[in-house]
Each structure stands twice: as C-alpha cells, then as structure tokens.
Amino acid sequence: MAKTKVQYEYNMHCLSEILYEYLASAEGLSEWFADDVVERGDDFFFSWGGGPAERATLIRYKPESFVRFRWEEDEGTKYFFELSIVIDEITDDLSLNITDFCEDGDEEENRLYWENLIENLQIKLGAA
C-alpha cells in the first residue's frame, strides 16, 4: 500500500549538540520516543508498554545534523523517518524537522502523534 510523505517543523530552544544525543542514541530516544530502546550496531529496537520490540535500522546520519531510520516493515521501500536539526543562518533559531510516511488518510493522526512526541522531547530538554 502506498504511503504519503509528511513533514513537520518544531522550534526547539536548546543546543544542537544536546538535541542530537536525544535523536541518535538509544538512551536519548528512550527518554521521549519509546519506553525502551536497545541499540545493536545500526539496528535500534523500540518497545512501548512492555510489548514486542520493533526494529528500525539507522540508514543514514550526519553527526549533529540528522538521523534517518527505516522500520523493518518498510525494508525494500523508499519509506523512512528522518529527524533533522536545522539552524537558521540569520536568526540562529534551531528547529527539528521531521520527515515521515503514513498510510493515506492517516495524516492527521500522524501529525498528532509527532506533536505529542515532540512535546515530550521539549519537556525533557527544557526547550518548551
């Protein structure tokens, strides 16, 4: 089934180096993205509520810039989710840009899901 590409931008009030640690490490991701995250090489295993772990592979990254993961169910496709740090050259404002793919018709649910996650992240960072 085809998925729709969605993109979001969230203003963050923190240092890019600190934010990147929350995006690229199992410890950081377990603070806001999932209940538990285990990293084995390029594979990250995410679990919620004690349920079975879901595997995502780190397929691209650039330190202090972005991470791109692909869920196991999306292997062999162009689908991924990416968390990228963008700093405005003029104002020095920092934002977290998210690229994701969702089922057609689930765009609003996906947006609300990410908004909730980013709110949790902002609280953890003191960046709300």
Side-chain angles (χ1 to χ4, degrees):
M1 177 177 263
K3 292 185 178 183
T4 301
K5 184 177 186 177
V6 291
Q7 295 181 297
Y8 312 104
E9 180 177 342
Y10 299 96
N11 291 324
M12 304 294 286
H13 304 285
C14 63
L15 296 172
S16 62
E17 299 85 1
I18 295 171
L19 178 56
Y20 186 77
E21 288 304 311
Y22 278 84
L23 307 180
S25 71
E27 184 179 321
L29 287 163
S30 67
E31 290 285 322
W32 67 279
F33 188 79
D35 294 336
D36 188 42
V37 181
V38 175
E39 181 180 354
R40 291 192 191 113
D42 287 340
D43 290 332
F44 286 69
F45 296 86
F46 299 92
S47 53
W48 293 267
E54 296 183 33
R55 180 173 62 87
T57 302
L58 180 64
I59 56 174
R60 288 190 66 203
Y61 71 95
K62 181 178 179 185
E64 296 182 28
S65 182
F66 76 93
V67 291
R68 181 181 292 180
F69 293 94
R70 177 167 290 128
W71 291 111
E72 182 175 24
E73 68 187 43
D74 290 330
E75 284 183 5
T77 72
K78 63 180 181 176
Y79 306 130
F80 60 87
F81 71 96
E82 181 175 282
L83 310 168
S84 62
I85 298 169
V86 177
I87 300 173
D88 186 283
E89 292 180 16
I90 297 171
T91 65
D92 273 344
D93 289 343
L94 184 143
S95 64
L96 175 60
N97 292 0
I98 296 169
T99 302
D100 194 10
F101 291 82
C102 65
E103 302 292 334
D104 289 338
D106 287 347
E107 293 87 356
E108 180 66 9
E109 183 179 333
N110 186 274
R111 183 186 63 78
L112 292 171
Y113 173 76
W114 279 108
E115 280 183 7
N116 184 55
L117 286 174
I118 299 307
E119 185 177 306
N120 291 340
L121 175 59
Q122 289 171 328
I123 290 168
K124 293 288 183 187
L125 288 167

